[in-house]
Structure formats: structure tokens, C-alpha cells
């Protein structure tokens, strides 16, 4: 295992390519490092200089007086493999490659050089970060092998003077973005443990660094900027470990919009962009997605201050001296999915006994600025937090001038310390750094963005609820055996299975399919219809005709033998006209389904993450509203239920306006089983569409109207 | 007409209640005023002091050496009416009442005192702002009769040294919020003309102040914080005037949520109007709604810099030195409704000839930080803006250290001056004020919030498109006469009209209703069914039974005389069981409707704004998705079309996946006519429900299945 400790917390460091000129990157990195009191030994390595910034420089790594823990490489790309080889041979345990010009440059030999680097790192089991990276910062060690301007001010300590212990670790593939989180968070007095920018991730991947942070005891909240996840298994292991440890991961994954949708046979595959798989993988482990730099900084701030006392629900009390700000925040909170309930009568009476006659503790609790100052935020917080109606508190302030809050500092500190529910400040004026410092020192985050303020509370409540449910789940038992015969069923074709064949697979897994008959001629269809009884549907079965309706190969609502006979001839004729060379295996005779809530269920195999289960409200609404959700297969029943809850139209399943509630249990069972099929045959099955499923009222099950399984392309 | 000029731009001012002690509000206001070089004459009026801050003080207004233009009142509430009366009698033209303790205080005599104030203002035709206000600031005059800390620093000029001429005027009912816009915008180098906080708006309303700003030549962009609109007619007139003048109004209206409404009610004694009506009124005049302080400041900034060159569409080019930031911004842009199209081949080749080999001009245009610096933002902007594929440009920068952009200042200034398409900067690091200043001086807004950056472009494009369409509309001609007979139809009942009666009203306006028969007994129903032909529906008609289905008073799909006869008895029996005392006027026999896209159409009369037309996708989806939109009645055809475009499920009307497009023209005609009915009878009709309307395929019209008109409560 590569020694990530040697990379991030070295005692001895060589900077290969070091220079004194602060106008070039090779010099900037020395100046940035020199601006912070790192206690380790730093050796410049330079071909051209004997001395760099007052330090004796060495010609090569081999010349160094000791074997260093870490080599920082900032030399032209073509020299990197040789230098890395030299490091490996010398016994250097880790390297940080700043140099760019590798796989990110399309068309040159950068890709080959990057492969070479990876091979060397593997050979020597070195912890190699980069290339094409902006370096990193380890705040505890005051160690900053980076040229980032975000840490170039020697007068600004990397950690604020007062900060809580829940440090934030940043891992970012983009150097600019990684240090931007720090640049935004530092003036807000947030404590960072690391900012690590990983560039091309040729060797060490982001989640390996997260894994290290989870163990090293100095990081409680993790922020990531992700361009891609190279090894899904590492992601899954580390994300689960973080969740179990209660250390939230807040990410952005870029590339939503560029995800081109590949041509796909099934409806499900067409609805799945590559981003839907990432989103599903994040949802599985409670990883929180942020939408912009500031939102991510604010979410991490909320967790940094309150991660041990997350809200039990989404009911907020709003304390304000400005009625306008309170009302606006209430609207904003509701828009973010929070509620702003009236306080209970007892709490309300207690608070109002402290407010002037025109104040109100209805919620927002508004006593005008003067009254708020007289009663004090700490008192109001304490009284409000005591209400059982409230899970969290937003205190609104004008934190522009910190001085006016200084006298309350001690009481504020006690209030934060004793609070059992999270309390955050929103400032409608822009605080100076001292304003953030006063509140931060007392134990409160200050947000300046109203939407973020509300959203942070919602994220914290969601995380707590998700984690508690996750920890309650039994650990996965041994997977049951695959049913017999399915292997042969799937072997029949290289392309799409017919509906009849597809349903056989479902049946083998115990999924109930209405009695249906595969007829080879009109007479057999008539006999089948008689056997089934009631109106029937006919559907031509051919692996070559996936979209049967489009081919005119379906007839519905056939009431008697005459119409069945006529329809048989008609659908076969249409199918032949549509696809003259299609191999027609027969015509499926099936009962017309009872009405039910239309659902689309499917599987799409993501190239990176494997099979993804999709569920959505069927019919034209899936097209128009795109109200579908994904989760990695297999899913557990509770995950399937949670997927349904994420549908915007979930109320349709619970029954609205005289419509009965749907049989959600039956639907959940089907989702679990279909996801198991996809998981059992992850190499064989590329796509599944079960569309539509008609879910009948509670207790009455569901009917699978159509099914399609598409095999993976061989090879 | 009250002289608002005397209020906002006085030459002579009395401050009644003035004090020297900066720790009380009466002293703070003097210190704030004294901190800015106002050139007018200021007279303190004080009962207790002969001198205030070095100025001779007078005992009463009558003692002043001249009749002042403006009296600022900051004395206990009970003395305000007397002082105002004194001002009026002296000929003072305007008063700014800071004092609180009026209608916002529930339960005391504040409401009566406020009425008294209004009466005095009317009597003397004085321009009175407040009470319960934080005062205002007139930046051009350096005049700040306010105690707001936002303008209390004498070392910070009210206007930045460099600023463009498109000044931003703020009008806010909340003092804290009004000055918060300034507090946030000033460090971003935004030029404000006024910040006016209006408190209870006992006399002058916010939109009257906006009207003044539209004329005084010093304000091009307007920001408002609204708790309520007191006179809808003033709103409509001023909002239209602003739109015609191309001076955008950006608002927040608080009280969307129940909790928000509580705050509004308790704060200003104003009942918050129902939000959907406000939203509809804003949509009608292109008024832009912002969601939080920072978003509103950023939107106003975008307009302030680029209002004369708004984007013609929503296609953005993104110029970045950080690939990560560019990719993230592209995602953010798409999420905001923008597109990030590839540049045309010619532009791309031209730009790439300036970039290093690994750069790309695909869009985002990404050349790495070094390359960007070498080629320069101005060159890249110019080349990108030349592409016909692009309507606006987002340039991404790290504006933390302004110094690095100083050398480019002149070129940047030229680029901004010559640009025909708007260009904005997004900084991923947090700029110092100098950073905002460098870019602002050159002519570019700098945004730090990624979502706002994208949203501002979208708002500017929407505003331009909306305004251009609005200006193209013919002016409203004379309203056509009301059809005869409708007055009598509406006079029939005080409550709900039956479906039969309601449809008569629709018919009188030329709306096509299927042939139907009101039967008084089973035989008449059978005869009616025979006359209509085909399957029919029966519906009991009674003003006392509004929800017929719930009452079992409806029978559907009756195919022959026997079933019609039986159903007649059954529906009447059910109706009597449901409502024994109901006055049953008969049973309506109507043909079963052909299938169509289900739509709900309706009118709801808002207490403040009058009748609002609602349209939505019908069926359970209206319940679940709440996909409905409102517009004030009457609507023009183009407004009705725009309403449909705002439905999330609008694609259902345009036809999806083999479903035909619906007859949108017929639906638009119906919307226009129904809105006209509501407008013609705005005093008589409280509600209309046309639910469902089945809209048939294009060219085939629509069928009104049910209709309900509810009369206004008399008196």
C-alpha cells in the first residue's frame, strides 16, 4: 500500500525544479512554502542553481544528504519519469507531481508518459499525487507545496485563531477549485485540515486520500470536486466508511450537461445520462451534492459547527430583529423544504413575556432590533430551542459590525455550548472578517446567502435521517442462489429477448406474470384467448422488433374469436411490412390488464458503476416531467421505498382526491427483484424495461404489461 | 399631487427630535447625515437642547427661520400627528416619519394615529413617507436622513469613484432589507441612486416613489422589497411605464409561505395578498422576482452594466483559465436554462490559433491560466463575441488579487465599451474591493456566486424578449359590449350557478357548448338522450350541490333508454340522500365527450388584484404536480399562449411520443373569453371553474365537460 502519510505529512521534502524567482511557478512554490512555518527539512533540487532562497540546492535527488519522505516534482514533463524512477530507486516514499503535459493534453505523448509514471509508482509502491496538479496544503503542519495564491499570504495563518475541531478536508481534481473552497472558507473562519488537488489522478485517487483523512483524526467534514471516479469499488468502500463514521462528504461532480445520451434500445437507457449513475451512487451513501462553491462552503460550515448535534427534523425557529428579514427567511426556508411552525403556546407566552408588546413569538420570533438587543440572542435561543416544535434555529442578524455583539460573546459561547439543537446565523449585511470571528469563536456559523442558510439546515437534517436509517439496516447476508434455467434463457440470443422470453426470466425469479399463450397461428391464438377468457391483447414476438406498437404489431381489447383471428393476421402482416426479415417467433395472447397506476421500471448498465435501477411515473408523464430516479442495483426494500419517495409525483402512489393508494409493497418487491436480476447477471444484461407496470390499489398487486431484456454486446 | 421631489431632494431640512448623542436613534440620524457633504441647510428641532452637533436648534417647527422643504420626524408616536399638522400649516411640502408605533403595533391606538397622519397628509397634499421607516439616502445629494449603519461611515463615499451611469434605486418597506441591498452592492462598486425605506406606507406608496425615479433621470434599474401593494392601479401604471422605458424592476415579495405571511401581517399590519396573484401581476409587466438579497443585487448589477446591450438569446460562451471552473459553470448555466453551444468552426479555429496546442475553444473556451494571461481576456472576448452562436459571455477569473488585471485595464475597458453582447465575470476566489473596482471601472460586473452568474444572464435575456414582445402588442382597443342577457343570468342566484346555468353564460359569450338537455323527469331525459344520440351522461343540477360526483349525482356512458331511465332515478335519489334540502332544478343530459388532453381552467378573484385566470394540466396531475399558472384577467391571446408555455408539462400540449398536438388555438380562445367574462363581471363573479376541458387534436377544437360559476358574496 502506498504510504499516503509520507505524501501529506512528510518530515523531509525535496523540491525538484525549485527556483528563487517568484514570477515563475517553480519559484512561487518555494515562496509559498517559505511563507509558512513548516518544521520539516526542505531540500531544493536544481540543475542550474547552487542555492535557492537561502537554502543549499542539490543537482539531483541522489545528491541529497538523506532519503526524503516526499519529492515534489515541478520540472518539464519529459523529465518527470526519470526523476520519479530516481526517487523510487532511492527509497523516496511519495511524490507530488505538479508538472502538467500528460494525459490532459490530447494528441501528444502525454498519455504514454502518464502510463509510465503509473508503472513506476506501482513498481516502487510510491504514493504519487498528480500529475497536472496545483499541489496541496496540510494546515496542521503549515506545509504548502503549492503555487496557489490562496495560501501565499504569510501574514494570514492557515487556521483561524479560534476555530472548532471539526476540520474540513478538501480533495479536488481541479487545483483552482480546490483552493477556491479554502479561499472562500478562510475569511469565514472555517478550519481546514487539508486542501489536496489531485489533477489527473494517474496513481492515487481522490477517495484514497479521503480514506486516509477518515483515519488520521484531523478531518471531520470532507469537500470534493470530482471530474470522474476512476475505481467505483474504492468510492463505495470509502463513502460507506465515511457515512458510518458520521463524517459527511460534500461533493460536486461536473459534467452533468455534457453527458451525451447514447443510442439505446430501451427507454430506461435513453433516460439515463452518465450523471444519473453518479447521482444514484451519491444517494446510496448519503453523499451530499452541492451546486456551487459558496453553497458547498456553507454546507461544510454547518457540519463543521454542528455535526455532533444535527437537527432531528426540518422544523425551524427564526429569531429576528428585522420583520422583513424574518418573513423573507421564512419564505426561503419553506422553499428549501423546511417548515416554520408556530411555537407551542407555552414557549410563545414565555418569549413574549420578554418582548415588548408589539413583538411576536409566533415564529418568526420578531421583537424589533432594539428588543432583540435588550433580551439578547442567547436568551431567545435558549427559550426557542426548548420548544418541542423546533428542530433547529436560524438567528438573523446584521453582523456587519461585530463590535455590537462583543459584549454578548460569553453568553453566546455558553448558548452554543449548551445547545442541543443547531443554531446558525444569517447576516443580511456583509460581515467583516471580525464579524465571522466573533460568532465563530462563540460557536456559530454565519451565512450571508439566504438560500444557503435554509438549505444547510435541510442538508443536515437529511444527512442525520439518512445515516440513522442506514446504520439500522442489517448487513447484507449471503446472496441467494441464482434460479436455475436463467442462464440458458439468456443464452438464447445476443440481442434483445422478446417480451415472452423476457417475462420467462422474470417468472424464474418468482415475479408473477398473467397467464399468456404464445400462438404460432390464428387458431392457436383463438384457443389461447378462449382459455384466458375476457378481452385479450395480441403482440407479435420477435427479437428483431423491439418497439412493437410502432410496428403495428399489437392489437388490444379483442373480445371474441372472430376479432382475435382477424387481429392475428393483421398484426403479423403489419410486423412483416415493418421489418420484412424479422424472425417472428409467434404472437403473444394475453389478458387485457386491469387498470392501475402506470409505472416504468428499468435497468440501465452504467459503464463505470454497473446496473442502475430506474423507476418513474409512466406514460407520457415520464417524457414530459422526467420524473424518474435511479439507484445502483441491487436495492434493498428500504432503498426502493426511498426511491419512490424521491419521485416528485409520489403523491400519485399514495392516493389523491378519491384515487386509491397504490400497492406500494408489491411495487417495492418488484423493484427489489428486478434489481437482483440485473445484479445477478451484470455481465449478461445491459438493459431491462418493464414498461408499463400497472400498480393496482393497495393489497391488489400489480400487472406487468410489457417487458424487455437487452443483452450486453458480446466481447 | 404630493411633491416627492421635496421629500427626496430637499434644499432645506428640519430634523424634529434631533439629538447629539450617537447612542440613541435621534442622535444617530444626525451623525449619519453629518458624515456626508449634503449641501442643503439642516435645522435641528429639539425641545430640550439649544444646540445639536454644533447647529443651532429650534424649539418647534414654527420657530424655524424659513419654511423647509422636508421635515424628518423622529419623536414619540403620540407627538407625530401634532408635529405633522404644524408642518402642513406652515407649508412644509414633505415629511419623512421615522417614528414607529403605528399600525404595525397590534392592539393599541397606533392604527388610529396612522389614519390621522394620512388625513393630515391628504389635507395639506404633503409627500409623507413612513411611519415606521428607517429613512432614506439620496446618493447624488449626499443626503442621508436615516440611522442605518449601512451609510454611517463618513470615509466611504456613497457612490464608488468609478461607476457607470445606470444607477440602481432601492425602495423597500423594510428598513433593514432596503439598506442591506446597498450594504451588499456598495463593495461590489455598484452605483445606487436612492435607498428609500417606506415602512408602513401610510401615505406615499412604494410604486409612487418608483414613478418619480422613472422621471428624474438618475435611476435606470429598480430594486424593491415588497410586503404588500396597497393600490393595484398604481402598481400597474408604474410597472408598465418602467417596462416601456426599459428600466427593469427587480423585486422580492415576502409572504409566499404561511410562515412568511404571519410575519408580514404582524410587521406592517398589511395583509399579504395571495402570492399567486402577485406572481401573476409581476409576470404581466416583466417584473423580475429575486430569491434572496445577493441574487437581487447581482441581477441589478447585470442590468446596471449591460442594460443597453441585453442578450438576444440564452447561448453563452464561457472563457476560462481553469478547466474545472469552466466545466462547473457550464453545468450551472444549463441548470439555469442557458445553453453552452459549441462555437462555429471558423471562430473556433481563430481562437485555437491563439491558444497553446492543449487549449480548446470548443466552449468552454479553455486555455489554462497561463495561456489566458498571454492571449488576454480582451482578445478572447472579442473573438468569442464575434460568433453568431453566442448571445452572452461569462469570463471566469480569479479576481482575488486585482493587481494582475491592472495591466489589462485599458484593453478591458475598450473591450467592454465595444462589446455588443453582455460580458460578465465570475470569480471563483473572493475578490477584495479593489478587484471589483478594477473590473467595474473597465465596465464589467463581477459575480462570485456561480448560480447567480448564470441566472443573471437568463434574467437579462428573458427581460429583453418579454419587453420586445410587449412593445409589439397593439394597444388595447375599446372593450366590446357585454352580451345581452348575462346580467339576468347572473342575477338568478346569490351563490353558485348550476352547470347548466353556468354554461349559458359561456354560450352568451360565443363559447361552444355541446347540445344538452335539462330534463325534469326520466322520460324527458330519455327523449333528450335520443335526440343527442350515442352514449350520454346525466348530471343532477342544483345550486346547492357543487360537487356532483361526490354526491353520486352523475351517471356516465349511458347507452340506451333503459339505462338512461334507471340512471335518472338513481342520480336524483343519490342527490336527495346527499343533500335532502337541495333545490334540484333538473338533470342535465349531455353527450359523452370525445377524449382529449385534460385541462383545468378557472378564475379566482384576488382581493387586491381582481380576477385571475388560472390554467393547468387537469386530472390528478394538477393536484400532485401543482402545475398551474395565473394571469390577471383579461388576458390577450399572446398572454394566454405565454401562460401555457410556463406550464412545466407544456410538452403534453405540443404532442409527445405519438400523441397528437392539442388544439392550442382553441384553448387560447377559450382562455381569452373566460378571462373577459371574469373581467366584464368582476364585481359579480367570484370564481369560475371549467374543469375539465378536453382539448382535442389540432384543428378539432375542445369540449367543455363541466362548468361552475360562483357569485360574489353580496355586500
Amino acid at each position: 500500500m502506498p504510504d499516503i502519510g509520507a505524501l501529506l505529512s512528510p518530515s523531509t521534502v525535496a523540491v525538484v525544479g525549485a527556483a528563487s524567482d517568484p514570477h515563475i511557478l517553480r519559484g512561487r512554490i518555494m515562496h509559498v512554502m517559505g511563507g509558512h512555518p513548516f518544521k520539516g527539512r526542505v531540500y531544493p533540487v536544481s540543475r542550474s542553481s547552487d542555492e535557492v532562497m537561502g537554502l543549499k540546492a542539490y543537482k539531483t535527488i541522489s545528491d541529497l544528504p538523506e532519503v526524503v519522505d516526499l519529492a515534489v516534482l515541478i520540472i518539464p514533463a519529459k523529465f518527470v519519469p526519470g526523476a520519479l524512477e530516481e526517487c523510487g530507486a532511492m527509497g523516496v516514499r511519495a511524490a507530488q507531481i505538479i508538472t502538467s503535459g500528460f494525459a490532459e493534453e490530447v494528441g501528444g505523448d502525454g498519455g504514454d508518459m502518464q502510463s509510465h509514471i503509473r508503472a513506476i509508482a506501482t513498481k516502487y509502491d510510491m504514493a504519487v499525487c498528480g500529475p497536472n496538479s496545483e499541489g496541496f496544503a496540510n494546515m496542521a503542519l503549515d506545509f504548502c507545496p503549492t503555487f496557489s495564491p490562496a495560501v501565499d499570504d504569510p501574514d494570514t495563518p492557515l487556521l483561524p485563531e479560534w476555530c472548532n475541531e471539526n476540520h474540513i478536508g478538501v480533495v479536488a481534481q481541479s487545483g483552482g477549485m480546490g483552493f477556491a473552497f479554502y479561499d472562500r472558507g478562510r475569511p469565514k473562519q472555517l478550519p481546514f485540515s487539508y486542501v489536496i488537488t489531485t489533477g489527473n489522478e494517474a496513481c492515487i485517487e481522490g477517495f484514497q486520500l479521503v480514506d486516509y483523512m477518515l483515519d488520521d483524526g484531523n478531518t471531520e467534514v470532507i469537500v470534493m470536486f470530482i471530474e470522474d471516479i476512476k475505481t467505483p469499488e474504492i468510492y463505495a468502500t470509502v463513502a460507506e466508511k465515511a457515512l458510518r463514521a458520521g463524517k459527511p462528504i460534500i461533493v460536486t461532480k461536473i459534467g452533468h450537461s455534457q453527458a451525451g445520451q447514447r443510442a439505446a434500445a430501451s427507454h430506461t437507457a435513453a433516460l439515463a445520462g452518465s450523471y444519473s449513475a453518479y447521482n444514484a451512487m451519491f444517494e446510496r451513501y448519503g453523499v451530499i451534492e452541492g451546486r456551487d462553491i459558496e453553497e458547498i462552503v456553507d454546507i461544510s460550515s454547518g457540519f463543521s459547527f454542528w455535526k455532533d448535534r444535527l437537527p432531528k427534523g426540518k422544523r425551524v425557529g427564526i429569531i429576528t430583529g428585522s420583520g422583513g428579514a424574518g418573513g423573507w427567511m421564512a419564505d426561503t426556508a419553506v422553499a428549501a423544504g423546511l417548515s416554520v411552525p408556530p411555537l407551542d403556546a407555552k414557549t410563545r407566552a414565555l418569549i413574549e413575556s420578554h418582548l415588548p408588546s408589539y413583538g411576536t413569538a409566533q415564529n418568526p420570533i420578531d421583537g424589533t432590533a432594539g428588543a432583540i438587543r435588550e433580551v439578547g440572542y442567547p436568551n431567545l435561543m435558549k427559550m426557542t430551542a426548548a420548544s418541542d416544535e423546533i428542530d433547529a434555529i436560524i438567528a438573523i442578524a446584521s453582523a456587519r459590525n461585530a463590535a455590537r455583539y462583543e459584549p454578548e460573546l460569553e453568553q453566546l459561547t455558553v448558548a452554543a455550548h449548551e445547545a442541543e439543537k443547531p443554531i446558525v446565523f444569517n447576516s443580511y449585511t456583509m460581515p467583516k472578517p471580525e464579524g465571522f470571528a466573533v460568532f465563530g469563536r462563540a460557536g456559530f456559523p454565519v451565512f450571508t446567502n439566504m438560500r444557503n442558510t435554509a438549505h444547510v439546515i435541510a442538508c443536515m437534517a437529511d444527512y442525520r435521517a439518512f445515516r440513522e436509517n442506514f446504520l439500522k439496516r442489517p448487513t447484507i447476508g449471503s446472496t441467494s442462489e441464482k434460479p436455475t434455467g436463467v442462464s440458458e434463457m439468456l443464452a438464447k440470443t445476443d440481442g434483445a429477448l422478446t417480451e415472452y422470453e423476457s417475462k420467462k426470466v422474470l417468472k424464474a425469479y418468482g415475479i408473477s406474470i398473467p397467464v399468456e399463450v404464445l400462438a404460432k397461428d390464428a387458431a392457436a391464438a383463438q384457443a389461447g384467448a378462449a382459455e384466458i377468457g375476457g378481452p385479450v391483447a395480441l403482440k407479435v414476438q420477435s427479437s428483431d422488433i423491439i418497439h412493437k406498437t410502432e410496428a403495428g404489431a399489437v392489437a388490444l381489447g379483442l373480445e371474441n374469436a372472430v376479432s382475435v383471428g382477424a387481429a392475428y393476421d393483421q398484426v403479423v402482416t403489419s410486423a412483416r411490412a415493418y421489418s420484412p426479415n424479422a424472425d417472428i417467433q409467434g404472437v403473444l395472447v394475453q389478458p387485457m390488464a386491469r387498470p392501475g397506476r402506470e409505472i416504468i421500471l428499468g435497468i440501465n448498465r452504467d459503464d463505470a458503476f454497473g446496473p442502475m435501477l430506474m423507476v418513474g411515473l409512466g406514460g407520457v408523464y415520464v417524457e414530459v416531467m422526467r420524473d424518474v430516479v435511479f439507484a445502483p442495483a441491487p436495492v434493498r426494500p428500504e432503498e426502493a421505498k426511498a426511491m419512490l419517495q424521491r419521485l416528485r409525483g409520489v403523491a400519485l402512489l399514495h392516493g389523491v382526491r378519491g384515487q386509491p393508494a397504490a400497492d406500494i409493497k408489491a411495487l417495492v418487491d418488484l423493484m427489489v427483484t428486478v434489481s437482483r436480476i440485473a445484479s445477478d447477471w451484470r455481465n449478461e444484461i445491459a438493459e431491462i424495461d418493464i414498461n408499463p407496470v400497472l400498480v393496482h390499489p393497495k393489497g391488489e398487486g400489480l400487472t406487468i404489461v410489457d417487458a424487455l431484456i437487452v443483452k450486453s454486446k458480446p466481447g
Side-chain angles (χ1 to χ4, degrees), chain A:
Chain A
M1 283 294 292
D3 181 358
I4 291 175
L7 172 71
L8 298 182
S9 302
S11 300
T12 49
V13 183
V15 180
V16 185
S20 295
D21 178 359
H23 298 98
I24 58 175
L25 294 186
R26 300 189 292 116
R28 275 248 291 281
I29 194 170
M30 293 302 292
H31 282 266
V32 171
M33 283 177 68
H36 301 280
F38 173 54
K39 293 201 173 59
R41 291 187 292 282
V42 176
Y43 301 106
V45 175
S46 168
R47 292 183 167 215
S48 52
S49 308
D50 295 332
E51 182 248 292
V52 173
M53 289 185 66
L55 296 172
K56 172 176 161 53
Y58 300 82
K59 289 287 173 223
T60 70
I61 296 152
S62 317
D63 295 339
L64 295 179
E66 64 182 322
V67 176
V68 292
D69 294 328
L70 169 67
V72 177
L73 306 188
I74 185 162
I75 50 180
K78 61 183 172 182
F79 299 126
V80 168
L84 194 64
E85 175 69 40
E86 196 182 348
C87 288
M90 289 286 297
V92 176
R93 304 297 305 132
Q96 167 64 51
I97 307 177
I98 307 283
T99 310
S100 59
F102 293 88
E104 81 278 10
E105 286 193 15
V106 180
D109 55 357
D112 291 342
M113 285 198 296
Q114 187 161 320
S115 301
H116 194 179
I117 287 175
R118 186 163 47 240
I120 297 166
T122 306
K123 178 167 129 193
Y124 293 109
D125 194 28
M126 289 173 81
V128 176
C129 183
N132 187 28
S133 146
E134 206 163 314
F136 66 90
N138 177 337
M139 312 308 173
L141 296 191
D142 276 309
F143 178 51
C144 297
T146 174
F147 57 85
S148 172
V151 289
D152 71 359
D153 177 8
D155 298 330
T156 305
L158 297 171
L159 282 166
E161 193 176 347
W162 300 290
C163 64
N164 66 66
E165 295 187 345
N166 292 326
H167 290 192
I168 300 163
V170 176
V171 178
Q173 275 173 273
S174 158
M177 295 300 95
F179 282 100
F181 293 119
Y182 174 82
D183 178 85
R184 300 290 189 99
R186 178 65 185 82
K188 293 187 172 182
Q189 305 287 308
L190 296 187
F192 287 82
S193 55
Y194 303 95
V195 175
I196 311 175
T197 72
T198 58
N200 295 1
E201 298 194 351
C203 310
I204 288 187
E205 299 178 22
F207 277 95
Q208 291 176 297
L209 297 168
V210 173
D211 194 18
Y212 176 85
M213 288 185 192
L214 292 175
D215 290 333
D216 91 336
N218 195 29
T219 303
E220 297 293 318
V221 180
I222 289 139
V223 165
M224 298 184 78
F225 174 95
I226 297 172
E227 287 172 354
D228 61 347
I229 288 178
K230 298 214 165 42
T231 312
E233 295 73 19
I234 293 176
Y235 163 73
T237 306
V238 175
E240 179 166 347
K241 180 174 167 180
L243 181 61
R244 292 193 180 278
K247 300 185 178 184
I249 301 176
I250 304 125
V251 303
T252 185
K253 157 72 180 82
I254 66 159
H256 301 191
S257 57
Q258 286 138 1
Q261 293 182 354
R262 63 192 166 86
S266 74
H267 203 168
T268 302
L271 285 163
S274 75
Y275 172 64
S276 64
Y278 275 96
N279 175 258
M281 293 304 296
F282 295 146
E283 290 275 349
R284 163 149 289 181
Y285 298 107
V287 168
I288 299 160
E289 288 187 79
R291 288 166 292 186
D292 60 31
I293 297 175
E294 191 177 8
E295 186 180 79
I296 290 179
V297 168
D298 285 345
I299 295 170
S300 66
S301 169
F303 278 104
S304 174
F305 279 96
W306 293 102
K307 75 180 277 287
D308 306 317
R309 290 165 287 175
L310 296 176
K312 286 188 179 132
K314 295 194 173 182
R315 303 165 307 166
V316 293
I318 297 173
I319 299 172
T320 182
S322 157
W328 200 354
M329 182 54 78
D331 287 347
T332 309
V334 170
L338 305 174
S339 69
V340 187
L343 295 188
D344 57 283
K346 202 181 125 202
T347 305
R348 204 179 146 176
L350 175 66
I351 297 177
E352 286 180 353
S353 74
H354 290 77
L355 295 183
S357 63
Y358 50 88
T360 168
Q362 198 168 11
N363 198 14
I365 297 138
D366 176 11
T368 77
I372 290 277
R373 216 165 322 164
E374 207 166 296
V375 185
Y377 282 106
N379 281 327
L380 286 167
M381 286 168 178
K382 207 167 168 177
M383 291 187 282
T384 307
S387 170
D388 288 338
E389 302 298 321
I390 294 298
D391 301 307
I393 292 174
I394 297 172
I396 295 176
S398 174
R400 187 166 171 275
N401 293 313
R404 52 197 272 198
Y405 300 100
E406 289 276 8
E408 276 188 287
L409 182 57
E410 196 180 315
Q411 277 181 291
L412 281 167
T413 307
V414 172
H417 186 73
E418 290 180 351
E420 290 171 3
K421 298 171 183 178
I423 304 169
V424 303
F425 271 89
N426 175 275
S427 175
Y428 53 86
T429 49
M430 189 54 71
K432 302 195 174 115
E434 304 82 68
F436 288 111
V438 166
F439 288 102
R441 184 183 180 184
F444 300 100
V446 179
F447 303 121
T448 58
N449 181 300
M450 297 172 72
R451 281 181 290 166
N452 287 2
T453 306
H455 183 63
V456 169
I457 305 271
C459 283
M460 294 198 297
D462 284 338
Y463 182 81
R464 175 176 179 149
F466 181 88
R467 181 166 177 265
E468 286 178 356
N469 282 326
F470 188 91
L471 296 180
K472 266 188 237 151
R473 291 181 198 165
T475 50
I476 301 177
S478 60
T479 318
S480 50
E481 298 248 322
K482 293 176 189 173
T484 52
V486 173
S487 180
E488 293 72 26
M489 293 174 199
L490 292 173
K492 269 196 176 169
T493 174
D494 277 350
L497 276 67
T498 64
E499 175 182 350
Y500 185 69
E501 293 163 345
S502 299
K503 284 178 172 172
K504 267 197 186 166
V505 175
L506 303 185
K507 268 194 257 187
Y509 274 84
I511 294 170
S512 162
I513 300 289
V515 179
E516 47 189 32
V517 174
L518 184 65
K520 305 278 186 179
D521 56 33
Q526 288 168 324
E531 185 194 328
I532 290 166
V536 297
L538 299 192
K539 298 171 175 175
V540 172
Q541 299 294 295
S542 166
S543 291
D544 303 317
I545 301 177
I546 291 177
H547 301 298
K548 298 186 283 279
T549 308
E550 207 173 89
V554 173
L556 301 176
L558 308 166
E559 305 253 0
N560 55 50
V562 176
S563 56
V564 169
Y568 185 97
D569 294 337
Q570 177 244 310
V571 294
V572 170
T573 305
S574 294
R576 289 217 184 286
Y578 179 78
S579 178
N581 300 319
D583 173 24
I584 293 179
Q585 290 152 279
V587 172
L588 196 60
V589 186
Q590 57 185 209
M592 290 300 292
R594 280 182 300 143
R597 180 63 60 207
E598 202 175 326
I599 291 288
I600 176 171
L601 204 70
I603 294 288
N604 179 55
R605 200 178 54 194
D606 182 76
D607 288 342
F609 296 105
M612 294 284 154
L613 175 69
M614 184 196 82
V615 66
L617 291 164
V620 290
Y621 290 92
V622 74
E623 311 285 329
V624 174
M625 304 291 190
R626 301 239 157 213
D627 191 13
V628 296
V629 296
F630 292 82
V635 300
R636 301 149 179 273
E638 57 270 31
E639 287 172 303
K641 268 182 227 159
M643 286 176 76
L644 297 177
Q645 288 306 325
R646 284 164 55 205
L647 290 173
R648 271 184 282 138
V650 63
L652 286 173
L653 294 172
H654 292 310
V656 281
R657 261 229 166 165
Q659 305 259 347
D663 196 332
I664 290 179
K665 191 183 168 308
L667 178 57
V668 164
D669 287 347
L670 179 65
M671 291 165 69
V672 168
T673 307
V674 169
S675 77
R676 193 190 140 202
I677 297 173
S679 176
D680 279 357
W681 306 96
R682 59 177 59 224
N683 296 321
E684 290 78 11
I685 295 177
E687 300 169 32
I688 301 178
D689 248 8
I690 305 188
N691 181 21
V693 179
L694 298 176
V695 185
H696 306 303
K698 197 172 172 179
E700 298 180 23
L702 51 79
T703 304
I704 291 172
V705 177
D706 202 347
L708 167 69
I709 294 178
V710 180
K711 295 280 301 291
S712 308
K713 296 271 177 293

